[in-house]
Amino acid sequence: MGTEQSRESRHGEIDAILERKGGGVRETRDEADKYTVVGAASRRTYANWLTPIEEHFVCHRNDIPDADADAWSVSLTGDLEGRYALSELKDEFPTVAVAHTMECAGNGRGQHRPETGSVQWGCEAAGTAVWSGTPISSVLRDQLEDGSDGAWLTAIGGDPSDGDDVFARSIPLSKALDDCILAYEMNGEPLPREHGFPVRVIVPGWYGVNSVKWVEELRLMDTMVVENSLDRPGEHAYWQQEAYRIHPADVEPESNETVETGDTWEQLETGEPEHPYTFDQTVMSIIGEPDGESAVTAPEDGLIEITGVAWAGDDDLEQVEVSTDGGDTWNAAELFGPDYAGAWRLFRYDWDATPGTHVLVSRATDDQGRRQPMRISNPDAWRGALEADEFPWNEGGYAANAVLPNAVEVDVESP
Ligand SMILES: Nc1nc2c(c(=O)[nH]1)N[C@H]1C(S)=C(S)[C@@H](COP(=O)(O)O)O[C@H]1N2
Ligand SMILES: [Mo]
């Protein structure tokens, strides 16, 4: 297919997504005119626990496959064998639902200075949906031997890659068996095409890139995907070993067969491996209301409720603090609402507001005591940034969870 022609069909496809999505939506692409990304969340999205499909961001690079659910199957390969039709996956195994806060690893990329490449997200690329499907552990259990410790499960997407590497991502088998599912519904609806119809992987609490859409193969190996791991054309390792790695400018990340931990923050702190993989999400919070779009009139008692969401990947959240003076002083917020592993929690703080302009900021800490840093560092700081309460600027603009870039400026008017 000629480039012009595929671009045209691509733009049509994006228009169709935009039509289905609600307000606050825009499309962005990278230099190669690839990447369908639709920033669907607005500030207000973060004042609610459940993200409606229309407000859930979309992110992928290739065209959406034209999938026929009746003909779709998932093959088991590597140290596994077999193949399941979608109907078998649905009917022969238990159905479960998981609540998952999905954040694109590039969320906050647009907050890096100098700018990094690719899509300049603000904080729109996160959402919480309830995904239903089949536990991966149910599908694999017959075939697993006791010695599967340390193994990796690679999911391969059926999106056409036009001669580039197929979209393949590996996660530790232990994580896959713990809580991952093959999802065929989102918020009780059949999976929308752009979210992976007819079936996708959901990896609760991990960056979106790990949740492979349009999944057609699950491969069990002793290593994660490295070059030439798959029975596929191409070199295979781009999406695992090159893209979505956290590293300083002008560095090519090293390829690893395995790593000790799927905890992205621990990789960053310890330098093992040198260039972390974007696996579990780092601790993060966003204020949803007030949203700064219009002035707020203080009620008679002066109390304005500040509401937002906070999450910590597959770790638990310990606390959330709110500042109403741009980060100079902090107050404890109250956590409320649903409390599911892998999904964000709502927080609120009753603010005794005075008329004027105020800068509201939120800051979350996970159960291992790791707190969101204040700002993104300069490009030279790399891992040393953490000691200065900064998040390391990195070339791909990944995993940014700094506090100040997500501040909201609010005008309060007298009652
Ligand atoms: N097959 C396939 N799966 C994919 C991608 C892709 O390009 N191809 N993009 C990933 C990325 S980077 C993200 S952030 C999530 C986004 O999921 P969503 O579009 O349902 O929000 O899908 C992931 N799964
Ligand atoms: Mo992403």
Side-chain angles (χ1 to χ4, degrees):
M1 205 198 283
T3 316
E4 284 313 312
Q5 198 187 342
S6 68
R7 267 184 205 174
E8 223 167 85
S9 73
R10 203 170 168 77
H11 291 186
E13 184 178 285
I14 293 170
D15 288 343
I17 296 174
L18 292 172
E19 228 159 82
R20 286 193 288 278
K21 296 278 177 181
V25 181
R26 64 192 167 79
E27 86 169 79
T28 338
R29 297 138 201 289
D30 65 8
E31 317 77 55
D33 198 29
K34 284 266 197 168
Y35 262 104
T36 301
V37 290
V38 184
S42 62
R43 272 271 167 202
R44 290 275 162 150
T45 304
Y46 301 122
N48 297 295
W49 185 79
L50 188 68
T51 308
I53 292 173
E54 311 78 63
E55 293 173 35
H56 197 290
F57 75 97
V58 171
C59 177
H60 54 258
R61 185 171 163 88
N62 302 319
D63 292 344
I64 298 174
D66 237 332
D68 172 0
D70 295 331
W72 197 271
S73 63
V74 178
S75 311
L76 305 183
T77 63
D79 296 334
L80 302 168
E81 54 187 35
R83 176 207 286 262
Y84 289 100
L86 186 63
S87 56
E88 294 172 315
L89 284 175
K90 285 184 176 172
D91 298 343
E92 293 179 15
F93 302 102
T95 301
V96 297
V98 299
H100 165 48
T101 295
M102 185 181 297
E103 182 183 17
C104 178
N107 197 29
R109 181 186 287 126
Q111 302 165 347
H112 288 63
R113 293 291 173 277
E115 271 189 21
T116 63
S118 198
V119 179
Q120 300 296 302
W121 294 112
C123 63
E124 315 87 343
T128 294
V130 174
W131 303 87
S132 339
T134 303
I136 289 183
S137 68
S138 299
V139 180
L140 301 194
R141 70 186 296 236
D142 287 352
Q143 297 192 44
L144 293 179
E145 290 158 21
D146 288 344
S148 313
D149 283 7
W152 290 83
L153 190 70
T154 299
I156 305 173
D159 36 338
S161 56
D162 292 341
D164 293 333
D165 280 7
V166 284
F167 192 87
R169 288 287 305 185
S170 312
I171 57 171
L173 177 65
S174 54
K175 173 65 179 172
L177 298 180
D178 184 32
D179 60 1
C180 297
I181 68 169
L182 293 170
Y184 41 79
E185 285 180 6
M186 178 182 190
N187 291 354
E189 308 271 343
L191 260 192
R193 292 182 71 223
E194 61 272 22
H195 290 292
F197 178 85
V199 61
R200 77 176 301 171
V201 174
I202 288 292
V203 184
W206 286 35
Y207 283 111
V209 66
N210 299 285
S211 290
V212 174
K213 303 195 269 194
W214 315 292
V215 61
E216 59 176 26
E217 181 176 340
L218 291 177
R219 186 176 185 84
L220 185 65
M221 301 187 297
D222 293 338
T223 70
M224 55 177 130
V225 173
V226 290
E227 275 194 17
N228 306 316
S229 305
L230 310 176
D231 301 324
R232 300 273 188 152
E235 295 182 344
H236 314 145
Y238 175 75
W239 293 104
Q240 186 77 14
Q241 302 288 355
E242 217 175 302
Y244 289 93
R245 299 285 299 280
I246 304 175
H247 59 81
D250 304 320
V251 164
E252 201 175 302
E254 77 292 358
S255 179
N256 296 285
E257 293 196 334
T258 193
V259 288
E260 287 295 309
T261 174
D263 190 303
T264 306
W265 196 264
E266 193 176 325
Q267 293 184 10
L268 204 52
E269 275 184 330
T270 60
E272 299 277 341
E274 177 64 21
H275 304 125
Y277 294 80
T278 43
F279 287 151
D280 100 305
Q281 294 161 14
T282 58
V283 64
M284 179 68 181
S285 64
I286 305 180
I287 290 172
E289 257 178 41
D291 64 2
E293 296 288 316
S294 49
V296 181
T297 307
E300 283 301 332
D301 66 1
L303 291 184
I304 295 174
E305 184 175 304
I306 298 172
T307 312
V309 288
W311 65 99
D314 62 12
D315 299 302
D316 282 336
L317 199 62
E318 180 67 31
Q319 65 158 355
V320 178
E321 298 159 287
V322 169
S323 169
T324 56
D325 56 11
D328 289 340
T329 59
W330 294 92
N331 313 280
E334 178 194 358
L335 299 177
F336 70 105
D339 185 4
Y340 294 98
W344 61 31
R345 296 211 64 194
L346 286 161
F347 66 82
R348 65 182 159 216
Y349 171 68
D350 283 329
W351 170 33
D352 196 356
T354 50
T357 302
H358 305 269
V359 176
L360 313 183
V361 218
S362 64
R363 179 169 82 174
T365 306
D366 74 13
D367 64 350
Q368 300 187 53
R370 302 174 302 192
R371 195 172 72 188
Q372 288 180 259
M374 286 298 276
R375 52 181 69 78
I376 298 178
S377 77
N378 73 58
D380 303 323
W382 185 219
R383 213 177 272 115
L386 296 174
E387 270 127 68
D389 199 18
E390 294 183 343
F391 180 81
W393 183 101
N394 63 98
E395 192 175 67
Y398 293 125
N401 64 344
V403 162
L404 291 178
N406 296 310
V408 207
E409 197 175 275
V410 176
D411 288 325
V412 176
E413 291 171 347
S414 331

